[in-house]
Amino acid sequence: MSFSDSDSSSNGGDYKNFRQISRERLLHEMLRSAKTGDSKSTWKVLIMDKLTVKIMSYSCKMADITDEGVSLVEDIYRRRQPLPSMDAIYFIQPSRENVIMFLSDMSGRSPLYRKSFVFFSSPVSKELVSHIKRDSTVLPRIAALKEMNLEYFAIDSQGFTTNNEKALEELFCDDESSQKGVACLNELATRVGTVFASLREFPFVRYQAARSLDATTMTTFRDLIPTKVAAGVYDCIMKYKKTIPNFPQSETCELLILDRSIDQIAPVIHEWTYDAMCRDLLSMEGNKYVHEVPSKVGGPPEKKEVLLEDHDPVWLELRHAHIADASERLHEKMTNFVSKNKAAQIHQGSRNSSELSTRDLQKMVQALPQYSEQIDKLSLHVEIAVKLNKLIKEQGLRELGQIEQDLVFGDAGTKEVIKFLTTNEDASRESKLRLLMILAAIYPEKFEGEKGQNLMKLAKLPPDDMNAVTNMRLLGAAPDSKKSSLGSFSLKFDIHKKRAVRKQHNGDEETWQLSRFYPIIEELVEKLSKGELSKDEYPCLNDPSPSYHGPSHTATVQPPPAAHSMRSRRTPTWARPRNSDDGYSSDSILRHTSSDFKKMGQRIFVFIVGGATRSELRVCHKLTAKLKREVVLGSTSIDDPPQFITKLKMLTAHELSLDDLQI
């Protein structure tokens, strides 16, 4: 038996992205090592708990697992059939309950399996290791006992979550949840640490500093969330530095830890990309979309589940495109396909079968398999795009989207919001709530006392929704000491002035009229990459040497040249860029992302406590192409607007001070 960390290295050879490395560790280091190790059995059983099942499913498909010699996947807490001639691979969290279940399986005269290969998802305590070693009947049956240190969900090629869905509630709530808050911080810090163990990366750890209002104001627990997470992650990495073979001994990448207060608008503003609109407007469960297809036997339409994931090339191409651009491209794809494919032409044509020549029939049969597969994928996305455009029209989202953008860029204020609410009484409850939440994030003083209640009455929103608006403000600071970006003196005299919380992007990238908004992390990552991020606002736990941001590190890489837009006049005016006649899209840099990763610079990791958004994930893909550095986004969860609003309603208005909680 060996007790060690499973060895891997992302250095050398072809560059692999974040999810590829995670996948290869699970398949090769874990499953394949059991296949080629101390084993006489060809097929094995894979046993996991609820969390590790999800970890595996986000990175690998069942076919991948089967290819590595696994014939059966089992839940450690389910009653299982004894298979004494087969070996078992355990991929489990290092909890006392899991260890007890494992020992129960493998102890006594009749163990469930012949040999066991045990892989823990995160560091296991010495006490649990001793507990395992004390069982003399189990010890000879353990072929491997290793720490995989992989306890995160690889939800995207450049994104992960730590599965702390209640982080917003547990960390931004009142003192009744203090112990839950401690447990949440410790757990997510450990899980973030396993990302760097998997990638063999040693980061410079930077974090969002606590807001210091003045000398008399007490720093709250909420203010120190990024600080405490940074300390926890750094502690994990220091241990990995000593215990993991080939772990780098000097810094190799950058990590920036933030919390949701950094950008309160991103989770609720309407995003106009194909991906974000699907998640926002369609009733999707994760990546699963359910649609109706014609019955093959002539009955009523059948419901079919499809996954909108990386294996779908159409989804991969269009997910970050503006919905108008995606619709346009889908139309062009369908037109091109029909014009080139004989079977499709015949299918689209009006001739009956008696008019078809033998040659036509032969061509149709030859083209049919390809036609069927391709037309299914195109039809799926055409159906989705049509549905989205219909919902945009029915819900009046263009006008709403315009006022949202104008609020953010200082082109509108409370007066325009009141006018919108007065003239759009039939707007949906959620649309009006999201608009008021954006207003509250920019103009918090407008929601003090009766003013806020009057706005809610005007919008005809119930008290339950008022909680979401109030708690939106609480994300920023304490209710009794809420600071404005303009300061109290300015507010007194500039109360009617409009505020811009984003600067208009000027330069080589034009934007859609309804997609001017960008998440604040875009600015922060660009500054971090240039070495221009404020050390006061974002301190570094292991401060880099002056030479770190040298010429070799910050060599300017020009983004790919913009391709000439091919949009036709069918593009509606609401979707056209404000500053461009040719309709140059903000996602152009994504379409030109180089597939050559060999020249990639050092990775940048951004972790957001309290939930990240689709727009923030999109920005990381965009900046990877622009900066030539893989930007990986991590968070406690990925929240679409309805999810975020539900979570926000669960917060309370009570402040949690450091007197109530010590870590």
Side-chain angles (χ1 to χ4, degrees):
M1 180 192 76
S2 65
F3 180 75
S4 63
D5 179 271
S6 188
D7 185 25
S8 80
S9 176
S10 59
N11 299 323
D14 291 339
Y15 189 99
K16 295 181 175 65
N17 69 32
F18 167 75
R19 186 189 245 169
Q20 287 173 327
I21 293 171
S22 303
R23 178 179 179 273
E24 289 190 7
R25 289 203 67 217
L26 291 167
L27 293 178
H28 301 165
E29 287 185 42
M30 188 172 74
L31 301 186
R32 191 171 293 178
S33 68
K35 187 178 179 182
T36 58
D38 178 21
S39 174
K40 296 177 182 176
S41 174
T42 305
W43 291 98
K44 290 181 175 59
V45 183
L46 175 60
I47 299 157
M48 298 181 282
D49 58 36
K50 286 184 179 179
L51 182 81
T52 53
V53 163
K54 286 187 176 181
I55 291 170
M56 184 68 79
S57 66
Y58 273 104
S59 294
C60 313
K61 297 188 181 302
M62 194 62 209
D64 300 328
I65 297 170
T66 305
D67 288 344
E68 296 301 334
V70 172
S71 61
L72 186 63
V73 177
E74 296 269 33
D75 182 338
I76 194 169
Y77 287 100
R78 293 266 178 97
R79 193 179 186 89
R80 284 164 277 131
Q81 176 188 356
L83 297 166
S85 64
M86 293 183 72
D87 291 342
I89 302 169
Y90 285 81
F91 179 37
I92 53 178
Q93 291 176 271
S95 68
R96 186 170 185 81
E97 294 78 12
N98 281 349
V99 168
I100 289 171
M101 290 299 295
F102 159 68
L103 292 174
S104 174
D105 290 349
M106 298 302 298
S107 62
R109 291 185 178 182
S110 304
L112 291 186
Y113 313 106
R114 193 186 76 89
K115 286 269 188 182
S116 59
F117 297 77
V118 185
F119 298 88
F120 291 111
S121 56
S122 56
V124 59
S125 68
K126 291 179 181 178
E127 290 76 17
L128 287 179
V129 175
S130 299
H131 187 49
I132 294 170
K133 289 183 175 180
R134 280 197 299 269
D135 196 321
S136 58
T137 61
V138 173
L139 214 54
R141 296 165 182 162
I142 300 177
L145 190 63
K146 298 182 179 180
E147 291 175 345
M148 270 300 285
N149 288 321
L150 200 162
E151 200 167 282
Y152 53 85
F153 297 168
I155 58 163
D156 183 84
S157 60
Q158 290 170 223
F160 70 92
T161 71
T162 57
N163 193 41
N164 297 101
E165 288 287 341
K166 293 186 177 180
L168 200 68
E169 178 187 351
E170 292 173 353
L171 296 174
F172 290 83
C173 217
D174 63 13
D175 55 357
E176 293 177 0
S177 302
S178 61
Q179 294 309 309
K180 287 184 179 179
V182 173
C184 180
L185 280 179
N186 291 337
E187 184 176 75
L188 71 88
T190 298
R191 291 178 177 175
V192 173
T194 68
V195 170
F196 298 97
S198 281
L199 273 66
R200 292 295 187 273
E201 292 272 24
F202 181 4
F204 284 109
V205 181
R206 299 187 69 172
Y207 58 94
Q208 176 185 340
R211 291 174 295 272
S212 179
L213 303 178
D214 55 60
T216 62
T217 306
M218 180 179 289
T219 303
T220 67
F221 173 65
R222 289 205 303 256
D223 293 333
L224 289 171
I225 287 171
T227 309
K228 291 188 175 294
V229 173
V233 172
Y234 189 68
D235 185 51
C236 291
I237 290 166
M238 287 299 99
K239 291 174 183 174
Y240 289 144
K241 188 179 175 183
K242 296 175 184 176
T243 58
I244 296 181
N246 301 327
F247 195 84
Q249 298 300 297
S250 59
E251 290 81 359
T252 61
C253 64
E254 294 176 277
L255 166 64
L256 179 61
I257 297 173
L258 312 166
D259 69 28
R260 194 59 268 167
S261 68
I262 196 73
D263 190 347
Q264 301 168 55
I265 298 172
V268 291
I269 195 169
H270 281 86
E271 270 282 313
W272 291 80
T273 59
Y274 186 47
D275 181 6
M277 287 237 132
C278 284
R279 318 278 181 177
D280 194 356
L281 301 182
L282 305 179
S283 299
M284 288 180 63
E285 184 181 334
N287 293 330
K288 191 188 300 178
Y289 173 72
V290 180
H291 69 128
E292 291 186 345
V293 293
S295 173
K296 294 179 181 178
V297 294
E302 300 172 354
K303 288 190 175 181
K304 183 180 178 182
E305 290 183 355
V306 291
L307 294 175
L308 302 181
E309 291 182 330
D310 292 2
H311 68 272
D312 180 345
V314 180
W315 170 256
L316 207 57
E317 178 188 343
L318 298 179
R319 62 179 177 167
H320 294 143
H322 188 285
I323 181 60
D325 187 21
S327 302
E328 180 92 3
R329 283 198 242 170
L330 281 168
H331 179 86
E332 290 171 1
K333 283 177 181 294
M334 188 66 87
T335 303
N336 290 339
F337 179 79
V338 170
S339 67
K340 292 176 182 177
N341 192 291
K342 189 66 180 176
Q345 288 178 32
I346 293 167
H347 186 77
Q348 294 287 332
S350 58
R351 293 180 295 171
N352 60 45
S353 57
S354 62
E355 295 176 323
L356 297 176
S357 67
T358 304
R359 185 173 177 82
D360 284 336
L361 285 169
Q362 184 183 22
K363 286 185 177 181
M364 182 178 73
V365 171
Q366 288 172 343
L368 198 55
Q370 179 191 18
Y371 161 68
S372 178
E373 182 182 351
Q374 291 186 343
I375 205 72
D376 279 354
K377 284 182 180 176
L378 280 174
S379 296
L380 167 68
H381 290 286
V382 167
E383 175 193 313
I384 292 173
V386 167
K387 189 178 289 187
L388 290 176
N389 282 303
K390 184 180 178 183
L391 288 170
I392 289 167
K393 187 175 182 180
E394 287 175 354
Q395 297 181 20
L397 294 185
R398 295 170 192 171
E399 186 181 353
L400 176 66
Q402 186 65 60
I403 193 170
E404 287 178 349
Q405 299 287 321
D406 288 346
L407 272 174
V408 169
F409 286 92
D411 299 324
T414 312
K415 181 181 176 182
E416 286 77 10
V417 171
I418 291 172
K419 182 180 178 183
F420 175 87
L421 294 173
T422 305
T423 57
N424 293 272
E425 292 185 5
D426 57 342
S428 72
R429 171 181 164 183
E430 185 188 298
S431 292
K432 291 186 283 188
L433 174 58
R434 286 165 70 171
L435 181 61
L436 288 182
M437 289 172 81
I438 294 170
L439 185 68
I442 302 171
Y443 300 92
E445 75 282 355
K446 300 290 185 184
F447 288 81
E448 293 172 355
E450 290 186 6
K451 289 184 284 187
Q453 293 174 0
N454 291 336
L455 280 169
M456 298 300 283
K457 285 178 183 176
L458 179 64
K460 297 179 180 177
L461 294 177
D464 182 38
D465 288 347
M466 188 67 188
N467 290 339
V469 177
T470 302
N471 292 338
M472 187 82 166
R473 297 169 58 217
L474 293 176
L475 273 182
D480 58 345
S481 58
K482 176 73 187 178
K483 68 169 182 176
S484 165
S485 57
L486 298 182
S488 58
F489 181 82
S490 298
L491 282 176
K492 186 176 180 181
F493 295 100
D494 300 336
I495 199 80
H496 299 296
K497 285 193 175 181
K498 294 170 184 175
R499 297 174 201 157
V501 292
R502 292 292 187 280
K503 295 177 183 177
Q504 188 74 47
H505 270 165
N506 295 317
D508 58 355
E509 186 181 350
E510 303 290 353
T511 56
W512 293 96
Q513 189 177 0
L514 293 182
S515 285
R516 289 178 290 156
F517 174 83
Y518 55 90
I520 203 70
I521 68 163
E522 183 170 345
E523 272 185 17
L524 298 180
V525 171
E526 291 212 55
K527 287 181 179 179
L528 180 66
S529 185
K530 295 174 184 175
E532 297 174 357
L533 194 62
S534 166
K535 293 279 185 71
D536 294 327
E537 295 177 27
Y538 303 94
C540 183
L541 277 180
N542 44 335
D543 203 25
S545 62
S547 61
Y548 176 68
H549 290 292
S552 62
H553 178 77
T554 57
T556 303
V557 181
Q558 293 299 323
H564 179 68
S565 173
M566 300 300 291
R567 285 194 188 88
S568 73
R569 291 181 182 178
R570 286 188 292 107
T571 307
T573 54
W574 63 269
R576 290 189 186 279
R578 173 170 287 192
N579 304 320
S580 174
D581 292 330
D582 68 353
Y584 178 54
S585 163
S586 63
D587 74 300
S588 62
I589 205 160
L590 293 166
R591 281 184 282 169
H592 294 278
T593 302
S594 171
S595 60
D596 181 13
F597 279 88
K598 292 178 182 177
K599 296 179 182 178
M600 278 285 179
Q602 294 175 324
R603 287 186 177 96
I604 295 175
F605 294 84
V606 181
F607 187 81
I608 303 174
V609 182
T613 69
R614 300 285 164 188
S615 59
E616 287 161 336
L617 188 56
R618 173 180 57 82
V619 158
C620 290
H621 282 276
K622 171 184 168 183
L623 291 178
T624 295
K626 183 176 181 180
L627 304 175
K628 292 293 186 290
R629 299 177 67 181
E630 186 182 0
V631 182
V632 178
L633 176 69
S635 184
T636 46
S637 60
I638 291 284
D639 295 328
D640 302 315
Q643 294 171 309
F644 180 76
I645 292 169
T646 299
K647 289 180 179 182
L648 209 58
K649 287 179 180 180
M650 299 175 74
L651 296 182
T652 64
H654 300 295
E655 187 57 65
L656 179 59
S657 73
L658 288 178
D659 289 343
D660 301 314
L661 176 62
Q662 293 293 331
I663 293 183

